[in-house]
Amino acid sequence: MKTFARFILFTILGWRFEGNFPKNLKKYVVIAAPHTSWVDFPIAILARMASGIMINYIGKDSLFKSPFGFFFRALGGTPVDRSKNNKLVDAIVDIFNSREEFRLGMSPEGTRKKVKRWKTGFYYIAKGANVPIVMATLDFENKRIKISEPYYLTEDKEKDFAFLRRFFLNVKGKNPELS
């Protein structure tokens, strides 16, 4: 499957990796931005498969209903109800703490729409689980998937967010007007 994904991603679609997902770390949060199109999902899944590193994700529960729910679960997804306050951060921290290996991919924007501020759930998940953040971006303008070294959070949230946001400067999503 890895070879097939690499063929599609690199040879057919023309993408390339800059950096790699850490193979020696069993737990981390991956934040991927900008998230501006439904096309981000299949490219991210191909990138994950091409890397050989399993990265799970969460998605709105409506994606996991029939007829396609089985497909999203098979790709490593878990449904979440975003319509109510259900202590999602705590639940995901519990998943990290209960597993020997778990990597979670998330969009810091939490939507494909243009946002002024990122959501903070990914930050509190990483803090609560005491795991680093790996940044990844789908740069559609240059067809590159850039992946950072793990970043270990500090006690200064503003400093952490400033550092994280710098990684995504000048990256063009599929719909750059939404970046």
Side-chain angles (χ1 to χ4, degrees), residues 2-166:
K2 181 178 177 179
T3 303
F4 182 66
R6 291 176 76 81
F7 176 75
I8 292 172
L9 188 64
F10 303 143
T11 306
I12 294 176
L13 299 178
W15 286 81
R16 63 186 163 86
F17 276 130
E18 277 187 25
N20 295 297
F21 292 110
K23 292 179 178 15
N24 60 332
L25 285 177
K26 294 185 178 208
K27 296 181 182 186
Y28 50 88
V29 173
V30 177
I31 59 169
H35 183 30
T36 64
S37 169
W38 67 269
V39 176
D40 298 346
F41 181 75
I43 298 293
I45 293 296
L46 281 170
R48 180 192 77 185
M49 293 169 75
S51 76
I53 300 291
M54 180 55 168
I55 300 169
N56 296 89
Y57 66 93
I58 56 173
K60 59 185 173 182
D61 55 356
S62 62
L63 292 173
F64 294 85
K65 292 185 173 32
S66 190
F68 298 110
F70 76 94
F71 176 73
F72 289 109
R73 280 186 179 82
L75 291 175
T78 300
V80 295
D81 182 357
R82 299 187 313 181
S83 67
K84 59 184 176 188
N85 182 0
N86 53 8
K87 300 192 180 199
L88 186 57
V89 168
D90 294 338
I92 295 172
V93 168
D94 288 344
I95 293 170
F96 269 101
N97 292 335
S98 69
R99 296 192 185 174
E100 192 170 313
E101 187 171 314
F102 188 69
R103 298 168 193 95
L104 178 65
M106 303 180 78
S107 163
E109 300 104 331
T111 182
R112 291 184 306 266
K113 297 177 181 129
K114 186 173 182 78
V115 297
K116 292 183 181 186
R117 271 182 236 191
W118 285 353
K119 303 267 185 189
T120 58
F122 74 90
Y123 181 83
Y124 290 110
I125 290 166
K127 288 286 271 186
N130 197 29
V131 299
I133 292 177
V134 173
M135 295 161 280
T137 188
L138 300 177
D139 183 350
F140 279 81
E141 182 177 55
N142 299 300
K143 286 205 168 183
R144 71 181 175 158
I145 300 159
K146 186 176 170 189
I147 303 164
S148 77
E149 292 293 318
Y151 177 74
Y152 292 84
L153 299 173
T154 69
E155 295 303 316
D156 185 340
K157 182 179 167 189
E158 280 69 38
K159 176 184 161 232
D160 289 338
F161 267 76
F163 179 87
L164 296 170
R165 289 188 73 84
R166 275 194 300 275

